[in-house]
Amino acid sequence: MKSRRHSRMTYGVSAAIACALFCTLYPVAAAQSGAASGGLEVLQVRPNFYMIAGAGSNIGVQIGPDGVVLVDAGRAEAADQVVAAVRKITAKPIRYIIDTNADPDHVGGNARVAKAGKTFFNVEGPRAEMAKSMTNGGAAAILAADGVLRRMSAASGGSSAYPSEGWPTEAFFQPRKAIYLNREGIEILRAPAAHGDSDSFVFFRGSDVVMAGDVLDTTGFPHIDSARGGSLQGEINALNRLLEIAIPPVPLVNQGGGTYVIPGHGRICDQADVVEYRDMVVIVRDVVQDMIKRGMTLEQIQAASPAKPYAQQYGLSSTGWTANAFIETVYKTLTAKK
């Protein structure tokens, strides 16, 4: 048992080193950066696709003849800076916000950013009042899984958790929702019971970019919110789904490319980075399972630091989520009564 655990630990260190070397040799060649107002940073990922960093969660920006599609809107207090950053990229109106989950750093800016946009509906014609009522007064549409709407509209302290102007105007419950904007197919794919109970990926098929939300966070270990429907197996399933979507830059790896995967927090990734993250979760789970079988308590397991090989890479979470918190979630999952 000891040798098997040692081999897993060794593999974890080797994988982390290999990933670090890969990212050094083959950076995201298409990304170009520039400063934006309010301390935000804008990265050009594809000719028509950008990422805004620094507003809470990473925000995806697709532009084209139909206008602007955003993935997530960041924190409420950063909303004006997000709007300013978008306007520096393009004069086109914001048409859609697609939410990947209901966390404040993803949806807090919904109301303000949507209000700065413009609906596709005609709000000046004979049915103007109906159109305005359907679109929060002519603002951009907000699209999300039904769980996001449920979380945002839930009562909190006698009122809803968020103002109604920031709620999704379009909510879906099926596993896959598709729209077509800016001459590109956009798939919103649900990831049930992963980080939480309302996660989605957003796959821009023409741009070959996936916005992964908080299923992937390169700044820390997975934050699995079991109190809000998240689960360890759901997280692993979601990462495997990401791997099915993403295409690696083979056979010409020295040229870079492939599918770009943008996490909820942290740097732009490729398929190899997602493999490393998925393997980390699985290896830590298996090591903790070994320790449980040997009768170790949670405190003993945490003291043994089964996630230590990955501490340098994922131990500085931007959300305050620690390795011990992750280990506790893994332990409670594996010891829960079936």
Side-chain angles (χ1 to χ4, degrees):
M1 200 68 76
K2 182 177 179 180
S3 62
R4 186 172 67 175
R5 179 163 60 98
H6 176 74
S7 66
R8 284 174 178 153
M9 291 294 194
T10 303
Y11 174 79
V13 174
S14 301
I17 292 171
C19 182
L21 289 172
F22 183 91
C23 294
T24 300
L25 292 171
Y26 309 120
V28 179
Q32 300 173 352
S33 65
S37 59
L40 306 186
E41 186 177 15
V42 176
L43 300 171
Q44 185 174 9
V45 183
R46 300 292 196 199
N48 70 324
F49 200 97
Y50 297 76
M51 182 186 88
I52 298 175
S57 65
N58 289 331
I59 297 172
V61 185
Q62 181 226 37
I63 60 174
D66 300 323
V68 179
V69 177
L70 298 181
V71 179
D72 292 322
R75 302 185 310 269
E77 57 268 28
D80 289 338
Q81 287 76 22
V82 170
V83 172
V86 172
R87 286 176 176 163
K88 284 189 175 183
I89 298 171
T90 179
K92 296 280 188 179
I94 297 169
R95 297 294 195 177
Y96 261 86
I97 300 170
I98 305 173
D99 293 327
T100 59
N101 65 51
D103 289 359
D105 56 341
H106 291 255
V107 302
N110 273 6
R112 173 69 186 91
V113 176
K115 187 177 180 180
K118 185 178 181 181
T119 179
F120 283 113
F121 289 95
N122 183 0
V123 295
E124 305 296 335
R127 298 184 179 179
E129 290 306 313
M130 179 183 295
K132 287 180 179 179
S133 67
M134 293 172 58
T135 61
N136 287 334
I142 303 173
L143 173 62
D146 61 330
V148 174
L149 176 60
R150 186 173 63 253
R151 292 287 180 190
M152 294 186 71
S153 60
S156 177
S159 60
S160 298
Y162 297 89
S164 60
E165 293 81 6
W167 297 356
T169 56
E170 300 177 27
F172 67 96
F173 60 88
Q174 61 267 41
R176 171 183 177 269
K177 171 76 175 178
I179 60 177
Y180 189 87
L181 287 171
N182 295 321
R183 300 169 183 165
E184 179 170 17
I186 305 171
E187 292 184 278
I188 305 95
L189 305 167
R190 299 188 68 160
H195 157 67
D197 62 2
S198 52
D199 295 296
S200 296
F201 306 137
V202 186
F203 178 30
F204 293 82
R205 296 174 65 175
S207 299
D208 201 12
V209 174
V210 184
M211 296 294 298
D214 282 348
V215 168
L216 180 65
D217 179 352
T218 64
T219 71
F221 296 99
H223 187 171
I224 300 170
D225 191 348
S226 54
R228 301 180 67 181
S231 70
L232 177 62
Q233 189 58 50
E235 172 73 12
I236 294 170
N237 292 344
L239 291 169
N240 283 331
R241 183 75 185 280
L242 264 182
L243 290 174
E244 291 175 357
I245 297 170
I247 296 173
V250 293
L252 305 177
V253 294
N254 61 319
Q255 294 185 13
T259 305
Y260 290 142
V261 181
I262 300 179
H265 303 270
R267 61 180 175 78
I268 299 170
C269 298
D270 61 14
Q271 198 244 23
D273 299 312
V274 182
V275 170
E276 163 65 14
Y277 200 79
R278 188 275 314 273
D279 287 354
M280 175 270 294
V281 177
V282 172
I283 289 168
V284 171
R285 179 201 64 185
D286 290 352
V287 172
V288 172
Q289 181 70 77
D290 253 359
M291 293 176 167
I292 291 170
K293 287 180 179 178
R294 288 188 282 121
M296 295 176 69
T297 66
L298 172 60
E299 291 73 20
Q300 289 171 328
I301 292 173
Q302 288 176 329
S305 301
K308 188 175 182 179
Y310 301 98
Q312 185 174 0
Q313 190 171 0
Y314 302 116
L316 299 174
S317 172
S318 61
T319 62
W321 186 250
T322 65
N324 273 350
F326 174 52
I327 295 302
E328 181 176 355
T329 298
V330 174
Y331 177 88
K332 288 182 176 180
T333 298
L334 296 175
T335 57
K337 293 182 178 180
K338 304 295 184 181

